[in-house]
Amino acid sequence: MFLNPNRAGGFRLPQNLNMEAPKTSDIVIISGNSHPDLSNLIAKRLDVKSGGCAVYHKTNRETMVEIGDSVRGKDIFIIQTGTKDVNNNIMELLIMAYACKTSSANSIVAVIPYLPYSKQCKMRKRGCIVSKLLAKMMCTSGLTHIITMDLHQKEIQGFFDCPVDNLRASPFLLQYIQECIPDYRNAVIVARNPGSAKKATSYAERLRLGIAVIHGEQKVAESDEVDGRYSPPAVPRSRTMDAGVGVPVHPAKEKPPINVVGDVGGRIAIMVDDLIDDVQSFVAAAEILKERGAYKIYVLATHGLLSSDAPRLIDDSPIDEVVVTNTIPHELQKMQCHKIKTVDISILLSEAIRRIHNKESMSYLFKNVTLED
């Protein structure tokens, strides 16, 4: 199921926009193997022939890229998203970008609807900030601009040494709520955990609805193995350190039982998030919402990875519909679960490409976007 973004009441582009690129345009669109359907949709909207780029793997699993058309002096747009084959997706993108750089392309813009490794954007013990490493690799490969959508943390933009446009899919999802959920005025927007309360508040304010927050969700605690960080302090070597007062230890967190803050009885519950991958936490939240009297439960998110046995878990759960955009291919999951619906966001990516190529302002695409969105 695809939602038409041009219908009344939803995300509209200005009437005077010309979505057609000039026939003599020096724009070239190439894509890897991650999401060819989205690439074809974007190229069709722009009326641009997709560039002849072959990306394949040799028998030793090395990635090979062959660009058939000349890219000298042209604006290159590489469409590549993150899927479950994430490491191959990244290598394909880096090699395509470097191939265009060494072929004297004028500019190389990566259209990455879902940025891989965006959840690994914080420091963990004896780990690293992987999204920072990925940003450095992308800029070094020759990328001059990044177009992405609904980053897991907006601060990831600061990792890049090139401009990053972080587009929003919320207008399309808000339009879906208004047009495809009967009696949505009787709904309440639900934050699956306190961390997603800002996003839920943004949706609730735009739809003039109430909000509920699920608190006390059970999460897997980090392992407390003994390592160097928990080593006992060194024996004092001087009399000045013999004070007898040690460094205070952080008390362990104890989450309360799962609870819903807000009234969902007799209402439609709409959970919103940026990414659905492991659905167990969504299923647990749906079960508690059902116990509290919600008679319909929807889950809306921008990116639908839906890994492992997510389709089966969704099918067996109280969730009525899972609505995601086509930033990530999930046709196989839709065949396994009829509850998964798709919203097409290719028009937004097409308009972003057109504006960048024509050196127009991007501000319209961020109209009414706040820091909380």
PDB file of all heavy atoms in Angstrom, residues 312-345:
ATOM      1  N   ARG A 312       6.596 -12.364  12.078  1.00  0.00           N
ATOM      2  CA  ARG A 312       5.787 -13.333  12.830  1.00  0.00           C
ATOM      3  C   ARG A 312       5.346 -12.755  14.167  1.00  0.00           C
ATOM      4  O   ARG A 312       4.186 -12.924  14.586  1.00  0.00           O
ATOM      5  CB  ARG A 312       6.599 -14.619  13.054  1.00  0.00           C
ATOM      6  CG  ARG A 312       5.839 -15.694  13.824  1.00  0.00           C
ATOM      7  CD  ARG A 312       6.725 -16.877  14.126  1.00  0.00           C
ATOM      8  NE  ARG A 312       7.882 -16.510  14.944  1.00  0.00           N
ATOM      9  CZ  ARG A 312       7.826 -16.344  16.269  1.00  0.00           C
ATOM     10  NH1 ARG A 312       6.676 -16.487  16.918  1.00  0.00           N
ATOM     11  NH2 ARG A 312       8.915 -16.038  16.939  1.00  0.00           N
ATOM     12  N   LEU A 313       6.264 -12.063  14.855  1.00  0.00           N
ATOM     13  CA  LEU A 313       5.918 -11.480  16.147  1.00  0.00           C
ATOM     14  C   LEU A 313       4.833 -10.416  15.996  1.00  0.00           C
ATOM     15  O   LEU A 313       3.935 -10.311  16.830  1.00  0.00           O
ATOM     16  CB  LEU A 313       7.166 -10.866  16.790  1.00  0.00           C
ATOM     17  CG  LEU A 313       8.258 -11.852  17.225  1.00  0.00           C
ATOM     18  CD1 LEU A 313       9.492 -11.110  17.713  1.00  0.00           C
ATOM     19  CD2 LEU A 313       7.739 -12.777  18.320  1.00  0.00           C
ATOM     20  N   ILE A 314       4.912  -9.620  14.935  1.00  0.00           N
ATOM     21  CA  ILE A 314       3.889  -8.597  14.705  1.00  0.00           C
ATOM     22  C   ILE A 314       2.547  -9.253  14.416  1.00  0.00           C
ATOM     23  O   ILE A 314       1.500  -8.827  14.914  1.00  0.00           O
ATOM     24  CB  ILE A 314       4.305  -7.674  13.539  1.00  0.00           C
ATOM     25  CG1 ILE A 314       5.531  -6.841  13.925  1.00  0.00           C
ATOM     26  CG2 ILE A 314       3.157  -6.760  13.128  1.00  0.00           C
ATOM     27  CD1 ILE A 314       6.145  -6.077  12.766  1.00  0.00           C
ATOM     28  N   ASP A 315       2.569 -10.315  13.625  1.00  0.00           N
ATOM     29  CA  ASP A 315       1.330 -11.001  13.246  1.00  0.00           C
ATOM     30  C   ASP A 315       0.635 -11.603  14.457  1.00  0.00           C
ATOM     31  O   ASP A 315      -0.598 -11.645  14.510  1.00  0.00           O
ATOM     32  CB  ASP A 315       1.652 -12.090  12.218  1.00  0.00           C
ATOM     33  CG  ASP A 315       0.529 -12.300  11.224  1.00  0.00           C
ATOM     34  OD1 ASP A 315      -0.192 -11.321  10.947  1.00  0.00           O
ATOM     35  OD2 ASP A 315       0.381 -13.429  10.742  1.00  0.00           O
ATOM     36  N   ASP A 316       1.408 -12.086  15.430  1.00  0.00           N
ATOM     37  CA  ASP A 316       0.845 -12.723  16.613  1.00  0.00           C
ATOM     38  C   ASP A 316       0.556 -11.727  17.735  1.00  0.00           C
ATOM     39  O   ASP A 316       0.101 -12.127  18.813  1.00  0.00           O
ATOM     40  CB  ASP A 316       1.802 -13.800  17.143  1.00  0.00           C
ATOM     41  CG  ASP A 316       2.020 -14.922  16.139  1.00  0.00           C
ATOM     42  OD1 ASP A 316       1.156 -15.084  15.250  1.00  0.00           O
ATOM     43  OD2 ASP A 316       3.058 -15.618  16.234  1.00  0.00           O
ATOM     44  N   SER A 317       0.814 -10.459  17.543  1.00  0.00           N
ATOM     45  CA  SER A 317       0.705  -9.461  18.600  1.00  0.00           C
ATOM     46  C   SER A 317      -0.622  -8.715  18.519  1.00  0.00           C
ATOM     47  O   SER A 317      -1.343  -8.812  17.522  1.00  0.00           O
ATOM     48  CB  SER A 317       1.861  -8.460  18.487  1.00  0.00           C
ATOM     49  OG  SER A 317       1.661  -7.608  17.379  1.00  0.00           O
ATOM     50  N   PRO A 318      -0.947  -7.910  19.541  1.00  0.00           N
ATOM     51  CA  PRO A 318      -2.174  -7.090  19.480  1.00  0.00           C
ATOM     52  C   PRO A 318      -2.064  -5.899  18.538  1.00  0.00           C
ATOM     53  O   PRO A 318      -3.036  -5.165  18.366  1.00  0.00           O
ATOM     54  CB  PRO A 318      -2.325  -6.596  20.938  1.00  0.00           C
ATOM     55  CG  PRO A 318      -1.393  -7.413  21.761  1.00  0.00           C
ATOM     56  CD  PRO A 318      -0.292  -7.849  20.858  1.00  0.00           C
ATOM     57  N   ILE A 319      -0.901  -5.679  17.918  1.00  0.00           N
ATOM     58  CA  ILE A 319      -0.723  -4.544  17.014  1.00  0.00           C
ATOM     59  C   ILE A 319      -1.607  -4.737  15.783  1.00  0.00           C
ATOM     60  O   ILE A 319      -1.594  -5.804  15.157  1.00  0.00           O
ATOM     61  CB  ILE A 319       0.758  -4.412  16.600  1.00  0.00           C
ATOM     62  CG1 ILE A 319       1.635  -4.141  17.834  1.00  0.00           C
ATOM     63  CG2 ILE A 319       0.936  -3.299  15.583  1.00  0.00           C
ATOM     64  CD1 ILE A 319       3.129  -4.165  17.539  1.00  0.00           C
ATOM     65  N   ASP A 320      -2.352  -3.682  15.428  1.00  0.00           N
ATOM     66  CA  ASP A 320      -3.244  -3.769  14.267  1.00  0.00           C
ATOM     67  C   ASP A 320      -2.527  -3.422  12.969  1.00  0.00           C
ATOM     68  O   ASP A 320      -2.803  -4.041  11.941  1.00  0.00           O
ATOM     69  CB  ASP A 320      -4.440  -2.830  14.460  1.00  0.00           C
ATOM     70  CG  ASP A 320      -5.357  -3.307  15.569  1.00  0.00           C
ATOM     71  OD1 ASP A 320      -6.131  -4.233  15.320  1.00  0.00           O
ATOM     72  OD2 ASP A 320      -5.276  -2.765  16.695  1.00  0.00           O
ATOM     73  N   GLU A 321      -1.640  -2.416  12.999  1.00  0.00           N
ATOM     74  CA  GLU A 321      -0.905  -2.030  11.801  1.00  0.00           C
ATOM     75  C   GLU A 321       0.463  -1.490  12.170  1.00  0.00           C
ATOM     76  O   GLU A 321       0.613  -0.811  13.197  1.00  0.00           O
ATOM     77  CB  GLU A 321      -1.664  -0.952  11.007  1.00  0.00           C
ATOM     78  CG  GLU A 321      -2.650  -1.492  10.000  1.00  0.00           C
ATOM     79  CD  GLU A 321      -3.221  -0.397   9.115  1.00  0.00           C
ATOM     80  OE1 GLU A 321      -2.659   0.714   9.081  1.00  0.00           O
ATOM     81  OE2 GLU A 321      -4.232  -0.667   8.454  1.00  0.00           O
ATOM     82  N   VAL A 322       1.448  -1.811  11.331  1.00  0.00           N
ATOM     83  CA  VAL A 322       2.779  -1.222  11.417  1.00  0.00           C
ATOM     84  C   VAL A 322       3.001  -0.440  10.130  1.00  0.00           C
ATOM     85  O   VAL A 322       2.996  -1.018   9.040  1.00  0.00           O
ATOM     86  CB  VAL A 322       3.867  -2.302  11.607  1.00  0.00           C
ATOM     87  CG1 VAL A 322       5.253  -1.675  11.535  1.00  0.00           C
ATOM     88  CG2 VAL A 322       3.687  -3.022  12.934  1.00  0.00           C
ATOM     89  N   VAL A 323       3.172   0.865  10.250  1.00  0.00           N
ATOM     90  CA  VAL A 323       3.297   1.742   9.081  1.00  0.00           C
ATOM     91  C   VAL A 323       4.718   2.278   9.031  1.00  0.00           C
ATOM     92  O   VAL A 323       5.179   2.927   9.974  1.00  0.00           O
ATOM     93  CB  VAL A 323       2.295   2.918   9.157  1.00  0.00           C
ATOM     94  CG1 VAL A 323       2.397   3.779   7.901  1.00  0.00           C
ATOM     95  CG2 VAL A 323       0.889   2.395   9.353  1.00  0.00           C
ATOM     96  N   VAL A 324       5.426   1.988   7.945  1.00  0.00           N
ATOM     97  CA  VAL A 324       6.802   2.447   7.762  1.00  0.00           C
ATOM     98  C   VAL A 324       6.942   3.033   6.360  1.00  0.00           C
ATOM     99  O   VAL A 324       6.121   2.768   5.479  1.00  0.00           O
ATOM    100  CB  VAL A 324       7.821   1.307   7.973  1.00  0.00           C
ATOM    101  CG1 VAL A 324       7.863   0.860   9.424  1.00  0.00           C
ATOM    102  CG2 VAL A 324       7.505   0.122   7.063  1.00  0.00           C
ATOM    103  N   THR A 325       7.970   3.822   6.161  1.00  0.00           N
ATOM    104  CA  THR A 325       8.232   4.384   4.831  1.00  0.00           C
ATOM    105  C   THR A 325       9.134   3.437   4.048  1.00  0.00           C
ATOM    106  O   THR A 325       9.680   2.472   4.594  1.00  0.00           O
ATOM    107  CB  THR A 325       8.899   5.764   4.946  1.00  0.00           C
ATOM    108  OG1 THR A 325      10.229   5.611   5.438  1.00  0.00           O
ATOM    109  CG2 THR A 325       8.105   6.679   5.866  1.00  0.00           C
ATOM    110  N   ASN A 326       9.326   3.753   2.779  1.00  0.00           N
ATOM    111  CA  ASN A 326      10.144   2.881   1.939  1.00  0.00           C
ATOM    112  C   ASN A 326      11.598   3.341   1.893  1.00  0.00           C
ATOM    113  O   ASN A 326      12.259   3.234   0.860  1.00  0.00           O
ATOM    114  CB  ASN A 326       9.563   2.785   0.524  1.00  0.00           C
ATOM    115  CG  ASN A 326       9.429   4.143  -0.155  1.00  0.00           C
ATOM    116  OD1 ASN A 326       9.421   5.176   0.499  1.00  0.00           O
ATOM    117  ND2 ASN A 326       9.312   4.139  -1.471  1.00  0.00           N
ATOM    118  N   THR A 327      12.121   3.842   3.021  1.00  0.00           N
ATOM    119  CA  THR A 327      13.551   4.134   3.093  1.00  0.00           C
ATOM    120  C   THR A 327      14.373   2.856   3.074  1.00  0.00           C
ATOM    121  O   THR A 327      15.543   2.875   2.682  1.00  0.00           O
ATOM    122  CB  THR A 327      13.886   4.918   4.375  1.00  0.00           C
ATOM    123  OG1 THR A 327      13.442   4.161   5.510  1.00  0.00           O
ATOM    124  CG2 THR A 327      13.212   6.281   4.380  1.00  0.00           C
ATOM    125  N   ILE A 328      13.782   1.750   3.511  1.00  0.00           N
ATOM    126  CA  ILE A 328      14.444   0.444   3.544  1.00  0.00           C
ATOM    127  C   ILE A 328      13.525  -0.556   2.848  1.00  0.00           C
ATOM    128  O   ILE A 328      12.312  -0.559   3.105  1.00  0.00           O
ATOM    129  CB  ILE A 328      14.712  -0.005   4.997  1.00  0.00           C
ATOM    130  CG1 ILE A 328      15.630   0.989   5.711  1.00  0.00           C
ATOM    131  CG2 ILE A 328      15.329  -1.401   5.039  1.00  0.00           C
ATOM    132  CD1 ILE A 328      15.774   0.736   7.187  1.00  0.00           C
ATOM    133  N   PRO A 329      14.035  -1.402   1.962  1.00  0.00           N
ATOM    134  CA  PRO A 329      13.164  -2.385   1.306  1.00  0.00           C
ATOM    135  C   PRO A 329      12.652  -3.418   2.310  1.00  0.00           C
ATOM    136  O   PRO A 329      13.414  -3.945   3.113  1.00  0.00           O
ATOM    137  CB  PRO A 329      14.082  -3.024   0.252  1.00  0.00           C
ATOM    138  CG  PRO A 329      15.476  -2.802   0.759  1.00  0.00           C
ATOM    139  CD  PRO A 329      15.444  -1.500   1.514  1.00  0.00           C
ATOM    140  N   HIS A 330      11.352  -3.692   2.264  1.00  0.00           N
ATOM    141  CA  HIS A 330      10.782  -4.695   3.177  1.00  0.00           C
ATOM    142  C   HIS A 330       9.640  -5.458   2.498  1.00  0.00           C
ATOM    143  O   HIS A 330       8.646  -5.798   3.145  1.00  0.00           O
ATOM    144  CB  HIS A 330      10.286  -4.016   4.468  1.00  0.00           C
ATOM    145  CG  HIS A 330       9.432  -2.804   4.231  1.00  0.00           C
ATOM    146  ND1 HIS A 330       9.933  -1.532   4.278  1.00  0.00           N
ATOM    147  CD2 HIS A 330       8.132  -2.687   3.914  1.00  0.00           C
ATOM    148  CE1 HIS A 330       8.975  -0.672   4.018  1.00  0.00           C
ATOM    149  NE2 HIS A 330       7.877  -1.342   3.787  1.00  0.00           N
ATOM    150  N   GLU A 331       9.781  -5.712   1.217  1.00  0.00           N
ATOM    151  CA  GLU A 331       8.741  -6.441   0.488  1.00  0.00           C
ATOM    152  C   GLU A 331       8.595  -7.875   0.996  1.00  0.00           C
ATOM    153  O   GLU A 331       7.487  -8.406   1.074  1.00  0.00           O
ATOM    154  CB  GLU A 331       9.058  -6.449  -1.009  1.00  0.00           C
ATOM    155  CG  GLU A 331       8.967  -5.068  -1.657  1.00  0.00           C
ATOM    156  CD  GLU A 331       7.628  -4.402  -1.426  1.00  0.00           C
ATOM    157  OE1 GLU A 331       6.594  -5.084  -1.572  1.00  0.00           O
ATOM    158  OE2 GLU A 331       7.606  -3.214  -1.085  1.00  0.00           O
ATOM    159  N   LEU A 332       9.702  -8.499   1.347  1.00  0.00           N
ATOM    160  CA  LEU A 332       9.638  -9.870   1.859  1.00  0.00           C
ATOM    161  C   LEU A 332       8.873  -9.915   3.177  1.00  0.00           C
ATOM    162  O   LEU A 332       8.044 -10.806   3.405  1.00  0.00           O
ATOM    163  CB  LEU A 332      11.064 -10.421   2.046  1.00  0.00           C
ATOM    164  CG  LEU A 332      11.169 -11.865   2.542  1.00  0.00           C
ATOM    165  CD1 LEU A 332      10.516 -12.820   1.537  1.00  0.00           C
ATOM    166  CD2 LEU A 332      12.629 -12.248   2.772  1.00  0.00           C
ATOM    167  N   GLN A 333       9.131  -8.942   4.056  1.00  0.00           N
ATOM    168  CA  GLN A 333       8.421  -8.898   5.334  1.00  0.00           C
ATOM    169  C   GLN A 333       6.925  -8.664   5.135  1.00  0.00           C
ATOM    170  O   GLN A 333       6.105  -9.214   5.873  1.00  0.00           O
ATOM    171  CB  GLN A 333       9.011  -7.800   6.237  1.00  0.00           C
ATOM    172  CG  GLN A 333      10.395  -8.114   6.785  1.00  0.00           C
ATOM    173  CD  GLN A 333      11.506  -7.675   5.858  1.00  0.00           C
ATOM    174  OE1 GLN A 333      11.305  -7.544   4.656  1.00  0.00           O
ATOM    175  NE2 GLN A 333      12.687  -7.457   6.404  1.00  0.00           N
ATOM    176  N   LYS A 334       6.564  -7.870   4.118  1.00  0.00           N
ATOM    177  CA  LYS A 334       5.146  -7.611   3.870  1.00  0.00           C
ATOM    178  C   LYS A 334       4.427  -8.867   3.387  1.00  0.00           C
ATOM    179  O   LYS A 334       3.237  -9.055   3.665  1.00  0.00           O
ATOM    180  CB  LYS A 334       5.001  -6.493   2.834  1.00  0.00           C
ATOM    181  CG  LYS A 334       5.352  -5.118   3.364  1.00  0.00           C
ATOM    182  CD  LYS A 334       5.237  -4.052   2.293  1.00  0.00           C
ATOM    183  CE  LYS A 334       3.800  -3.787   1.923  1.00  0.00           C
ATOM    184  NZ  LYS A 334       3.665  -2.650   0.990  1.00  0.00           N
ATOM    185  N   MET A 335       5.148  -9.723   2.680  1.00  0.00           N
ATOM    186  CA  MET A 335       4.534 -10.976   2.251  1.00  0.00           C
ATOM    187  C   MET A 335       4.311 -11.918   3.431  1.00  0.00           C
ATOM    188  O   MET A 335       3.409 -12.751   3.407  1.00  0.00           O
ATOM    189  CB  MET A 335       5.405 -11.652   1.190  1.00  0.00           C
ATOM    190  CG  MET A 335       5.382 -10.958  -0.159  1.00  0.00           C
ATOM    191  SD  MET A 335       6.161 -11.912  -1.478  1.00  0.00           S
ATOM    192  CE  MET A 335       7.884 -11.802  -0.992  1.00  0.00           C
ATOM    193  N   GLN A 336       5.118 -11.770   4.481  1.00  0.00           N
ATOM    194  CA  GLN A 336       4.987 -12.634   5.650  1.00  0.00           C
ATOM    195  C   GLN A 336       3.978 -12.103   6.659  1.00  0.00           C
ATOM    196  O   GLN A 336       3.487 -12.852   7.493  1.00  0.00           O
ATOM    197  CB  GLN A 336       6.353 -12.788   6.330  1.00  0.00           C
ATOM    198  CG  GLN A 336       7.397 -13.465   5.463  1.00  0.00           C
ATOM    199  CD  GLN A 336       8.783 -13.422   6.069  1.00  0.00           C
ATOM    200  OE1 GLN A 336       8.994 -12.826   7.125  1.00  0.00           O
ATOM    201  NE2 GLN A 336       9.736 -14.055   5.411  1.00  0.00           N
ATOM    202  N   CYS A 337       3.691 -10.783   6.592  1.00  0.00           N
ATOM    203  CA  CYS A 337       2.780 -10.182   7.570  1.00  0.00           C
ATOM    204  C   CYS A 337       1.931  -9.130   6.869  1.00  0.00           C
ATOM    205  O   CYS A 337       2.464  -8.134   6.359  1.00  0.00           O
ATOM    206  CB  CYS A 337       3.569  -9.566   8.724  1.00  0.00           C
ATOM    207  SG  CYS A 337       2.540  -8.717   9.941  1.00  0.00           S
ATOM    208  N   HIS A 338       0.618  -9.320   6.851  1.00  0.00           N
ATOM    209  CA  HIS A 338      -0.288  -8.397   6.167  1.00  0.00           C
ATOM    210  C   HIS A 338      -0.486  -7.102   6.932  1.00  0.00           C
ATOM    211  O   HIS A 338      -1.086  -6.155   6.413  1.00  0.00           O
ATOM    212  CB  HIS A 338      -1.647  -9.076   5.951  1.00  0.00           C
ATOM    213  CG  HIS A 338      -2.420  -9.268   7.223  1.00  0.00           C
ATOM    214  ND1 HIS A 338      -2.130 -10.286   8.121  1.00  0.00           N
ATOM    215  CD2 HIS A 338      -3.448  -8.572   7.763  1.00  0.00           C
ATOM    216  CE1 HIS A 338      -2.961 -10.217   9.141  1.00  0.00           C
ATOM    217  NE2 HIS A 338      -3.770  -9.191   8.957  1.00  0.00           N
ATOM    218  N   LYS A 339      -0.013  -7.019   8.167  1.00  0.00           N
ATOM    219  CA  LYS A 339      -0.199  -5.809   8.974  1.00  0.00           C
ATOM    220  C   LYS A 339       0.778  -4.694   8.616  1.00  0.00           C
ATOM    221  O   LYS A 339       0.614  -3.561   9.063  1.00  0.00           O
ATOM    222  CB  LYS A 339      -0.043  -6.147  10.465  1.00  0.00           C
ATOM    223  CG  LYS A 339      -1.100  -7.080  11.019  1.00  0.00           C
ATOM    224  CD  LYS A 339      -0.873  -7.323  12.500  1.00  0.00           C
ATOM    225  CE  LYS A 339      -1.916  -8.256  13.085  1.00  0.00           C
ATOM    226  NZ  LYS A 339      -1.697  -8.483  14.543  1.00  0.00           N
ATOM    227  N   ILE A 340       1.804  -4.986   7.839  1.00  0.00           N
ATOM    228  CA  ILE A 340       2.830  -3.990   7.511  1.00  0.00           C
ATOM    229  C   ILE A 340       2.382  -3.177   6.298  1.00  0.00           C
ATOM    230  O   ILE A 340       2.055  -3.744   5.249  1.00  0.00           O
ATOM    231  CB  ILE A 340       4.180  -4.674   7.232  1.00  0.00           C
ATOM    232  CG1 ILE A 340       4.633  -5.483   8.455  1.00  0.00           C
ATOM    233  CG2 ILE A 340       5.243  -3.648   6.869  1.00  0.00           C
ATOM    234  CD1 ILE A 340       5.851  -6.357   8.204  1.00  0.00           C
ATOM    235  N   LYS A 341       2.334  -1.865   6.441  1.00  0.00           N
ATOM    236  CA  LYS A 341       1.945  -0.958   5.366  1.00  0.00           C
ATOM    237  C   LYS A 341       3.110  -0.028   5.039  1.00  0.00           C
ATOM    238  O   LYS A 341       3.952   0.255   5.901  1.00  0.00           O
ATOM    239  CB  LYS A 341       0.724  -0.108   5.764  1.00  0.00           C
ATOM    240  CG  LYS A 341      -0.439  -0.909   6.334  1.00  0.00           C
ATOM    241  CD  LYS A 341      -1.030  -1.859   5.312  1.00  0.00           C
ATOM    242  CE  LYS A 341      -2.209  -2.634   5.918  1.00  0.00           C
ATOM    243  NZ  LYS A 341      -2.725  -3.659   5.000  1.00  0.00           N
ATOM    244  N   THR A 342       3.139   0.467   3.789  1.00  0.00           N
ATOM    245  CA  THR A 342       4.248   1.291   3.314  1.00  0.00           C
ATOM    246  C   THR A 342       3.756   2.649   2.852  1.00  0.00           C
ATOM    247  O   THR A 342       2.726   2.743   2.179  1.00  0.00           O
ATOM    248  CB  THR A 342       4.987   0.596   2.149  1.00  0.00           C
ATOM    249  OG1 THR A 342       5.358  -0.717   2.549  1.00  0.00           O
ATOM    250  CG2 THR A 342       6.237   1.377   1.768  1.00  0.00           C
ATOM    251  N   VAL A 343       4.509   3.686   3.213  1.00  0.00           N
ATOM    252  CA  VAL A 343       4.267   5.048   2.743  1.00  0.00           C
ATOM    253  C   VAL A 343       5.440   5.450   1.853  1.00  0.00           C
ATOM    254  O   VAL A 343       6.605   5.293   2.241  1.00  0.00           O
ATOM    255  CB  VAL A 343       4.120   6.027   3.928  1.00  0.00           C
ATOM    256  CG1 VAL A 343       4.000   7.454   3.424  1.00  0.00           C
ATOM    257  CG2 VAL A 343       2.905   5.659   4.776  1.00  0.00           C
ATOM    258  N   ASP A 344       5.146   5.967   0.677  1.00  0.00           N
ATOM    259  CA  ASP A 344       6.188   6.325  -0.286  1.00  0.00           C
ATOM    260  C   ASP A 344       6.710   7.729  -0.005  1.00  0.00           C
ATOM    261  O   ASP A 344       5.944   8.699   0.024  1.00  0.00           O
ATOM    262  CB  ASP A 344       5.607   6.246  -1.698  1.00  0.00           C
ATOM    263  CG  ASP A 344       6.627   6.609  -2.759  1.00  0.00           C
ATOM    264  OD1 ASP A 344       7.834   6.493  -2.513  1.00  0.00           O
ATOM    265  OD2 ASP A 344       6.200   7.028  -3.852  1.00  0.00           O
ATOM    266  N   ILE A 345       8.035   7.868   0.190  1.00  0.00           N
ATOM    267  CA  ILE A 345       8.640   9.182   0.446  1.00  0.00           C
ATOM    268  C   ILE A 345       9.586   9.586  -0.687  1.00  0.00           C
ATOM    269  O   ILE A 345      10.395  10.499  -0.517  1.00  0.00           O
ATOM    270  CB  ILE A 345       9.386   9.194   1.799  1.00  0.00           C
ATOM    271  CG1 ILE A 345      10.268   7.932   1.979  1.00  0.00           C
ATOM    272  CG2 ILE A 345       8.414   9.300   2.952  1.00  0.00           C
ATOM    273  CD1 ILE A 345      11.582   7.980   1.320  1.00  0.00           C
TER     274      ILE A 345
END
